Amino acid sequence: MRILKPSDIPATEITPREVYLKRRQFLAGMAALAAAPALSAPAPPAHGARLAGIQASRFSTSEAKTPFDAVTTYNNFYEFGTGKSDPAENAHTLKTRPWAVAVEGAVKRARVYDIDELLKLAPLEERIYRLRCVEGWSMVIPWVGFPLAALIRHVEPTGNAKFVEFVTLHDPRQMPLQRSSVLDWPYVEGLRIDEANHPLTLLAVGLYGEVLPKQNGAPLRLVVPWKYGFKSAKSIVKIHFVEKAPLTTWMKAAPNEYGFYSNVNPQVDHPRWSQAKERRIGEFFKRETLMFNGYADQVARLYRGMDLRTYF
Ligand SMILES: Nc1nc2c(c(=O)[nH]1)N[C@H]1C(S)=C(S)[C@@H](COP(=O)(O)O)O[C@H]1N2
Ligand SMILES: [Mo]
């Protein structure tokens, strides 16, 4: 996102996925001819355990889903590398059991949850959401999870809980890029309490009916479909209720480029590129980006009276 100069941007970031996959296959084929045992084609994406008892949701889009193999091989998860295929290749070192999530701060019932308790906290739903990355691509992903509001109800926030901070695991033995300073670790994101309580805000534990693949943020990640993808913190170990807006990782990295709200907004450009259009992964022609990523009917009221150029 910020780290790469245009000249450094790998082809995977600016090329439609089919094109680069074909190119990779071609290059792999050439390499195989040159050094047969040394290189092989990339392994197909691994499938996980099926999740049981998933209910459909009225919040799902009917748009065509992005194929499983694209959702699980074209990722942003800088803890495992900055290239789109790095997370799928490297995230196997992440250990997702046992996994504890501390829910703390301005709440009456702070506690540490085991991930398997969280899986039983509320009925699991399938939510087919659009995901719009700030880089200009988008996908449609059938998440499995439950509303964050269900967890918030359990811990009973106090009047001082104005914001919620989400913190990713910090363990350089499991997350190799945390030995580098490419970002200020651990990855931190945040929401205003009303955004966190909004019925669209999801804690995801799966996708395509299966346990969440590691590269997608196993075992627990946030999904906030009307905001740019980077708000959706992966592999969460702490949910912290606070009085002041958390300083997020991307605000620290480039405060003029990434604000706290980060609502998808085709009218407010990133300082270095337009946000008016997006490329849906798997499609050739660009689409118009929709206000609040198409969720304006549900979320515009949260921002009534706010200047979205100031609060970007
Ligand atoms: N911990 C962590 N969470 C993260 C990221 C990251 O680098 N580290 N990348 C973000 C970005 S930029 C996007 S677009 C989404 C991508 O989610 P996906 O790979 O499951 O599609 O994850 C977000 N969550
Ligand atoms: Mo992103």
Side-chain angles (χ1 to χ4, degrees), residues 237-251:
V237 293
K238 188 159 84 176
I239 300 177
H240 190 195
F241 292 77
V242 292
E243 179 131 37
K244 300 229 165 66
L247 183 54
T248 70
T249 296
W250 285 106
M251 291 170 76

Side-chain angles (χ1 to χ4, degrees), residues 1 76 132-135 137 228-230:
M1 283 159 67
N76 272 339
R132 169 62 156 80
C133 179
V134 73
E135 294 164 336
W137 49 268
Y228 291 115
F230 66 85

Side-chain angles (χ1 to χ4, degrees), residues 112-179:
V112 178
Y113 288 86
D114 182 82
I115 184 65
D116 292 312
E117 291 175 83
L118 279 177
L119 276 156
K120 288 178 229 135
L121 192 89
L124 293 185
E125 290 177 29
E126 178 172 79
R127 296 277 188 99
I128 308 170
Y129 280 165
R130 291 179 286 276
L131 178 138
R132 169 62 156 80
C133 179
V134 73
E135 294 164 336
W137 49 268
S138 65
M139 298 195 194
V140 175
I141 303 177
W143 301 108
V144 179
F146 56 89
L148 173 61
L151 174 60
I152 295 178
R153 249 194 322 276
H154 273 263
V155 296
E156 295 180 55
T158 68
N160 294 332
K162 304 276 199 290
F163 294 89
V164 189
E165 178 185 58
F166 303 87
V167 184
T168 294
L169 176 71
H170 191 192
D171 183 354
R173 285 167 305 173
Q174 297 184 58
M175 296 178 148
L177 262 276
Q178 288 182 337
R179 287 184 214 118

Side-chain angles (χ1 to χ4, degrees), residues 37-109:
L39 276 174
S40 57
H47 278 266
R50 303 290 306 171
L51 290 163
I54 302 168
Q55 305 176 356
S57 166
R58 66 190 173 94
F59 293 116
S60 290
T61 172
S62 55
E63 285 170 272
K65 289 177 263 186
T66 303
F68 177 86
D69 95 310
V71 171
T72 58
T73 60
Y74 189 89
N75 301 100
N76 272 339
F77 199 169
Y78 275 26
E79 287 84 340
F80 296 103
T82 55
K84 292 287 172 279
S85 58
D86 290 344
E89 283 163 21
N90 301 332
H92 58 88
T93 53
L94 179 65
K95 215 176 145 250
T96 59
R97 289 292 187 291
W99 189 277
V101 182
V103 186
E104 58 185 49
V107 294
K108 291 191 193 117
R109 305 205 290 164

